[in-house]
Amino acid sequence: MTLYAPDGLPIILMERFEGLTSAVDCKGDDGRMSLTFKSRQAYDYALKTWQIINEDDDKQFLLIANHDGCGPDDERQPYKVSTVTEDAADLTISMATTITQWSEVAGTYDLDFGKAAVRQPSQKVRPRGFWGDIVNVGKGALEAAQGNADISKSVNFAVSVGQPGQKTNIYTDDKGRFSIDCIDCYITGTWQVQGHIVVQGFVLQDLTLEAAPQNFKAKLELEATVTSSQSPDTLQSSKELFSAPIPGAGIAVTGIFKLGATVSYEVGTSATFAGTATADFGLSASLPNGAKVVADVNNPSDSSATGWTGSSLTPNFEVTKLSASLTLAAFSQPKIAFGVELIEVGNVDIAVTMKLPEISSTLSADYDSKGVCSQSAGALKTGVKLENKADESLSLQIDIDLGDDNSKPSWSKTLLDFSQPLGSDCIPLNIPGLGPADGTPTTSAKPPSGTGSDTAPTTCKPPGKTGICQANSKTCAGGAYISGYCPGDSSIQCCPNASPSSTPAAPTTCAPPGKTGICQSTSKTCAGGAYIAGYCPGDDSIKCCPNAAAAAPTTCAPPGKTGICQSTSKTCAGGAYIAGYCPGDDSVRCCPNAPTAGGCKMRRDRFGKRIIAC
């Protein structure tokens, strides 16, 4: 550090006389400081040092005292000296002094910290009458705050956030259909920081900070669970797992300058999901040790990031259950904010935000009669196919608060933003109900291009549904498309409950106990009364409408009688209804002697007696 005293005052360090004095009194009641020397030779050396000051008209200078009792513990104290009195007989020099605050005298300085190269200070900032070893003055101020710290050593900020294997919920929807948990999320490593600061007359002229990661690693592993969803839903959520200052790190020059850092760690996710699924996904990332970020507060265009393209990314996927489709995206976003406090000047916060990285995965259930992931003997015909990519970004956010000085606005800048594919993968997985229900093998080959409209549509049968395979660019009459049940690429999907438009499909019949009916949407009126669930393919909106289709009357034969089964809401032509001889519930009973073709009739014989003639 190079300190330039105000008003051209010379500067003297008391440590110049360390070992030459027998007594130092900084607490004189008369406001004077005295130095008593061990020998005449030491006394003469001090007088020679004072000679250039005595030649000055006002004979004032700054004395930086480091002796015990001359300032706060382990800190140097500046004094303004107005007069000097010599006593050759007692080998004593006494001075009229006034205690001065660093904030009053440290308005102009250059400061390099970390491994930054020491820059030659501009000659025009040197005041008239400058005297002494100014570099040692500034360096001494740093040592006063840090003990015997070496300004050339690196300033390191160790970062350790999160615990391996610790589980934290990121999102659970209010309907209990989808949840995502961070099951292994953490960051660890070190940031080496160096910088250069120039202040003139308590006005910031230059602030450049360079930060380089060392052995920096990030782990992101999430578990997604989809429990129930009839149609695709989406979500987007993020959560800050940690935010706190980094303890025991940073540097300070008492009364002049402070540097500290705060680290935060945010994890976010977005998803589109349908059906049921349980999947672990994520990746490990490490930054190359040669990477660095340079933040030039005054010149955003000179800020840069280099050496980041060598990042190591290792994806991780494990799928234990999947019945439909799942698209997941998640990011691990550590941020380290360096706070620079310039006493009597203002504050500058330099935040480096890293997306390390955002990983996107599309998972879809698939079937191939020859083997979905490999076509070797015994290969599973069902499995999960994945398409993965990673997006990395690095941005700077500079927040400047210099009091009344509004000449330097805050700003932000994206330094890096790039994407790289992580390739595709296939996980063999037994998925019940996936594939043709009748055992007829399907093919995973894409249908030939250029086929005419007379080609019969391919049918598909996801669990509990039927439909046709068609391009998902068309409107699906049956609702949401379901992937993984059609041959061809991902643009060909199953449209449930859809039927080829060229041939109207006959209604699907249903037969609950003691009833017959047709399957239809519950949005329609059921002619046969109440709908009955569980006897129709499709979702809960398709149910059995009993007695909806016209059917021949069911006959019944109680002892000694014949009749037809009908609803008791109708009048029975044969008299009283008889229970227990008809299918269905108690509302359907046998109406005896009801007229039927070829039935028996009551009449009188020739003698006038009543008889039944059949």
Side-chain angles (χ1 to χ4, degrees):
M1 178 178 179
T2 304
L3 175 68
Y4 303 92
D7 303 323
L9 292 178
I11 302 175
I12 291 181
L13 296 178
M14 184 180 285
E15 49 257 58
R16 276 179 170 270
F17 312 116
E18 195 71 35
L20 303 179
T21 58
S22 59
V24 175
D25 180 11
C26 295
K27 299 180 179 179
D29 296 336
D30 54 358
R32 300 184 68 84
M33 178 187 295
S34 63
L35 283 72
T36 302
F37 293 87
K38 294 179 179 179
S39 64
R40 182 72 187 192
Q41 183 179 5
Y43 176 79
D44 290 342
Y45 172 80
L47 291 181
K48 184 177 180 181
T49 301
W50 256 271
Q51 181 179 0
I52 190 170
I53 298 175
N54 292 332
E55 293 174 356
D56 199 291
D57 294 337
D58 56 17
K59 295 183 176 57
Q60 291 189 355
F61 62 95
L62 283 178
L63 177 68
I64 310 299
N66 69 327
H67 197 277
D68 291 342
C70 293
D73 293 342
D74 299 324
E75 294 182 12
R76 285 171 170 77
Q77 176 66 56
Y79 289 84
K80 183 178 288 187
V81 180
S82 55
T83 61
V84 178
T85 304
E86 305 161 7
D87 186 345
D90 292 334
L91 302 179
T92 299
I93 297 175
S94 62
M95 297 163 284
T97 60
T98 303
I99 294 179
T100 304
Q101 301 301 317
W102 280 111
S103 58
E104 299 175 15
V105 299
T108 300
Y109 57 87
D110 298 342
L111 172 63
D112 289 286
F113 58 88
K115 291 184 178 179
V118 177
R119 309 182 186 194
Q120 294 297 323
S122 173
Q123 294 298 318
K124 66 182 180 181
V125 300
R126 292 178 178 266
R128 182 183 61 83
F130 177 82
W131 182 90
D133 189 349
I134 303 301
V135 173
N136 285 338
V137 175
K139 184 176 179 180
L142 178 64
E143 291 172 354
Q146 292 290 102
N148 293 318
D150 184 351
I151 196 171
S152 66
K153 289 184 178 179
S154 299
V155 181
N156 294 326
F157 294 92
V159 177
S160 180
V161 177
Q163 295 292 332
Q166 184 176 3
K167 187 172 182 177
T168 303
N169 180 256
I170 303 302
Y171 175 84
T172 299
D173 75 336
D174 54 3
K175 297 180 181 179
R177 300 167 302 166
F178 182 87
S179 66
I180 190 161
D181 297 292
C182 212
I183 58 176
D184 203 4
C185 301
Y186 62 90
I187 54 175
T188 181
T190 301
W191 283 85
Q192 291 185 352
V193 181
Q194 58 191 43
H196 175 70
I197 300 172
V198 176
V199 174
Q200 294 183 15
F202 296 101
V203 177
L204 178 64
Q205 301 297 324
D206 185 17
L207 196 166
T208 304
L209 184 140
E210 180 179 301
Q214 297 292 315
N215 303 319
F216 197 88
K217 298 178 181 179
K219 178 72 177 291
L220 172 68
E221 186 172 351
L222 302 177
E223 180 182 68
T225 303
V226 184
T227 56
S228 176
S229 180
Q230 299 298 332
S231 59
D233 283 322
T234 60
L235 69 88
Q236 191 165 10
S237 179
S238 63
K239 185 172 185 176
E240 186 176 74
L241 300 184
F242 179 87
S243 178
I246 300 176
I251 57 173
V253 179
T254 303
I256 299 177
F257 161 81
K258 292 181 181 179
L259 172 68
T262 297
V263 64
S264 63
Y265 185 38
E266 181 181 7
V267 172
T269 184
S270 59
T272 301
F273 53 94
T276 60
T278 300
D280 294 352
F281 73 107
L283 86 172
S284 301
S286 61
L287 301 180
N289 285 343
K292 68 178 180 180
V293 178
V294 177
D296 191 328
V297 172
N298 286 359
N299 302 291
S301 60
D302 291 338
S303 300
S304 62
T306 57
W308 293 81
T309 55
S311 299
S312 173
L313 304 177
T314 305
N316 172 59
F317 300 98
E318 182 178 352
V319 181
T320 56
K321 181 171 65 175
L322 187 72
S323 66
S325 61
L326 181 65
T327 300
L328 296 165
F331 64 83
S332 170
Q333 185 166 279
K335 178 172 72 174
I336 183 166
F338 302 100
V340 179
E341 180 181 356
L342 306 172
I343 309 302
E344 299 297 326
V345 177
N347 302 319
V348 178
D349 291 327
I350 302 172
V352 181
T353 301
M354 300 153 283
K355 191 166 282 188
L356 290 177
E358 180 171 11
I359 183 170
S360 303
S361 303
T362 300
L363 302 87
S364 58
D366 202 3
Y367 172 89
D368 192 313
S369 61
K370 297 180 181 179
V372 69
C373 295
S374 67
Q375 297 187 349
S376 58
L380 279 177
K381 299 179 181 180
T382 58
V384 178
K385 290 189 174 180
L386 302 95
E387 293 290 338
N388 313 305
K389 71 170 184 174
D391 299 297
E392 292 188 63
S393 65
L394 181 72
S395 61
L396 270 179
Q397 174 70 43
I398 309 296
D399 294 314
I400 303 174
D401 181 7
L402 301 179
D404 295 333
D405 183 4
N406 297 319
S407 61
K408 298 176 178 62
S410 301
W411 55 270
S412 61
K413 180 181 180 181
T414 299
L415 301 180
L416 286 176
D417 191 2
F418 63 93
S419 176
Q420 59 176 313
L422 296 178
S424 58
D425 198 2
C426 183
I427 302 175
L429 184 66
N430 184 23
I431 306 176
L434 181 60
D438 57 3
T440 304
T442 64
T443 176
S444 59
K446 188 181 295 186
S449 59
T451 55
S453 58
D454 56 344
T455 303
T458 302
T459 59
C460 50
K461 295 182 180 181
K465 301 176 184 287
T466 57
I468 58 171
C469 297
Q470 63 183 34
N472 56 19
S473 59
K474 300 179 181 179
T475 302
C476 177
Y481 280 102
I482 302 175
S483 61
Y485 296 91
C486 292
D489 58 28
S490 58
S491 67
I492 306 300
Q493 296 181 349
C494 182
C495 176
N497 300 317
S499 58
S501 58
S502 58
T503 305
T508 301
T509 60
C510 50
K515 300 179 183 288
T516 58
I518 59 171
C519 296
Q520 64 182 34
S521 172
T522 54
S523 61
K524 299 179 181 180
T525 301
C526 177
Y531 281 102
I532 302 175
Y535 296 92
C536 292
D539 57 28
D540 288 342
S541 66
I542 307 299
K543 295 182 180 179
C544 182
C545 176
N547 302 316
T554 301
T555 60
C556 51
K561 299 179 183 287
T562 59
I564 60 172
C565 296
Q566 64 181 33
S567 173
T568 55
S569 61
K570 300 179 181 180
T571 301
C572 177
Y577 281 103
I578 301 174
Y581 295 92
C582 291
D585 56 26
D586 286 343
S587 67
V588 179
R589 297 185 181 183
C590 183
C591 177
N593 301 316
T596 58
C600 300
K601 296 181 180 180
M602 181 178 291
R603 63 182 179 83
R604 293 180 184 272
D605 64 8
R606 58 180 178 156
F607 302 105
K609 294 182 179 181
R610 292 184 178 181
I611 63 171
I612 297 176
C614 296

